[in-house]
Amino acid sequence: MHAPWSMILFTTLAGAAQGLLLVLVALDLGGATGTTPALFVGGAGTVVVLGLAGLVAAAFHLGHPFRAWRAVAMWRTSWLSREVIVLPAFLAVVTLWGAGHALGRPLPLAGVAAALLALLLYLCTGMIYGAVKAIREWATPLTPVNFGLIGFASGALLAGALCALLAPGLVPSLAPVACGATLLAAAGRAAAWWRNHTLKPKTTIQSALGVRHPKVRQISQGAMAPNFNRREFFHGRTPQFLRRMQWAAGLLGFALPAAVLALGGAQVGAGALALLFLLQYAGLLAERWAFFAEGNHTQNLYQRAVG
């Protein structure tokens, strides 16, 4: 499938924001020693900024952005409609929670509500793709699970960077959390990669034509000029490029952060953790591009048979 950068940015930015919020709420409700109001206020502000940045990116995916409000109409059946409802509610509750800390009147129930909305938002975003039965690489419970695990891993690392800046005493306890979350996210993504690699196509050139001969080769396409199908249902890159993106995702998104956090995350400063988060985020951009590009629509059978 085509890998739209608007959706890549939205899902990775919003995912990190949700993960950051979950860590901060856990610290707040757990009464962790060393927390400060500045941590929760700054963290809430970061969550809102990342969420809004994701919304701006997502707007570029719409043909008519000013009609986006109509998306809520199908909330009974559409995961996209549910996401459109949950995301603004999430940002509003996070703002309320942060404002409570800024005014010296913490609102733990608002934190709990924000955490629940964060989890629900992971589900909605993941199921937008997981519910597409035509794309077998996406139609698996691993899709929403991995959206959540990867978002939480990046959010936990960002939380470590914020704590190193605003509450250094928390870094030794957060580094193992971020490391464990990254390893768990790596395991989930590796499981999806293995599943997709072993999928056998239900439709082949032979079955499409009703011909059993093992060597049927298509030498022309039905449409040579650019069209919607060729633009939206195929990423236009080579298999080698897709593999490079998968390697970048594995190394930058998972292996490097896990190694640094495991070997000395408790002693790493705020600047180094922020740099590590940026490197991880670059890897997660590659991961999300690969997620879209791995999706195979049936019509791609004819795209790839030529050449």
Side-chain angles (χ1 to χ4, degrees):
M1 295 290 286
H2 171 63
W5 279 102
S6 55
M7 290 295 98
I8 292 171
L9 291 171
F10 167 70
T11 55
T12 52
L13 289 171
Q18 294 157 243
L20 172 59
L21 186 279
L22 289 172
V23 173
L24 292 175
V25 169
L27 292 174
D28 187 20
L29 297 179
T33 303
T35 59
T36 63
L39 173 64
F40 297 124
V41 175
T46 303
V47 170
V48 172
V49 168
L50 289 176
L52 291 176
L55 273 176
V56 171
F60 287 95
H61 193 65
L62 303 175
H64 300 281
F66 292 106
R67 300 179 189 173
W69 61 273
R70 297 183 180 179
V72 304
M74 302 298 292
W75 62 270
R76 292 179 182 84
T77 57
S78 170
W79 286 104
L80 177 60
S81 293
R82 294 163 187 162
E83 181 191 56
V84 171
I85 295 171
V86 173
L87 179 56
F90 168 69
L91 295 178
V93 176
V94 170
T95 301
L96 178 64
W97 177 73
H101 280 286
L103 297 174
R105 302 183 64 179
L107 302 170
L109 290 180
V112 173
L116 292 175
L117 287 169
L119 294 174
L120 182 58
L121 186 56
Y122 279 136
L123 177 63
C124 292
T125 304
M127 284 305 296
I128 290 173
Y129 306 101
V132 181
K133 295 181 180 180
I135 311 299
R136 297 173 64 208
E137 289 79 6
W138 299 350
T140 166
L142 285 171
T143 297
V145 168
N146 282 336
F147 270 61
L149 292 177
I150 292 171
F152 181 75
S154 59
L157 180 53
L158 181 56
L162 282 177
C163 285
L165 181 64
L166 301 173
L170 293 172
V171 175
S173 58
L174 274 184
V177 173
C179 181
T182 301
L183 291 174
L184 192 59
R189 196 61 178 97
W193 276 329
W194 175 255
R195 174 189 176 275
N196 294 344
H197 179 71
T198 56
L199 279 178
K200 294 183 179 179
K202 291 184 176 181
T203 303
T204 64
I205 290 290
Q206 287 82 357
S207 66
L209 296 175
V211 176
R212 295 184 179 181
H213 195 282
K215 295 183 179 180
V216 176
R217 187 170 69 92
Q218 181 181 347
I219 60 174
S220 66
Q221 293 180 352
M224 300 302 293
N227 55 49
F228 178 84
N229 286 354
R230 295 183 65 188
R231 183 176 66 251
E232 294 298 325
F233 293 159
F234 187 55
H235 52 77
R237 298 287 187 170
T238 64
Q240 292 77 14
F241 184 86
L242 174 57
R243 284 195 290 270
R244 285 196 292 269
M245 294 295 274
Q246 290 171 333
W247 274 104
L251 293 174
L252 290 177
F254 304 117
L256 176 63
V260 172
L261 291 169
L263 295 176
Q267 288 76 41
V268 177
L273 284 174
L275 178 60
L276 185 61
F277 169 76
L278 292 176
L279 290 173
Q280 183 191 51
Y281 185 72
L284 297 186
L285 290 177
E287 181 278 329
R288 200 51 46 88
W289 187 94
F291 166 80
F292 285 105
E294 289 164 10
N296 287 310
H297 194 278
T298 302
Q299 75 96 36
N300 284 337
L301 177 67
Y302 309 106
Q303 298 277 12
R304 299 179 182 182
V306 181

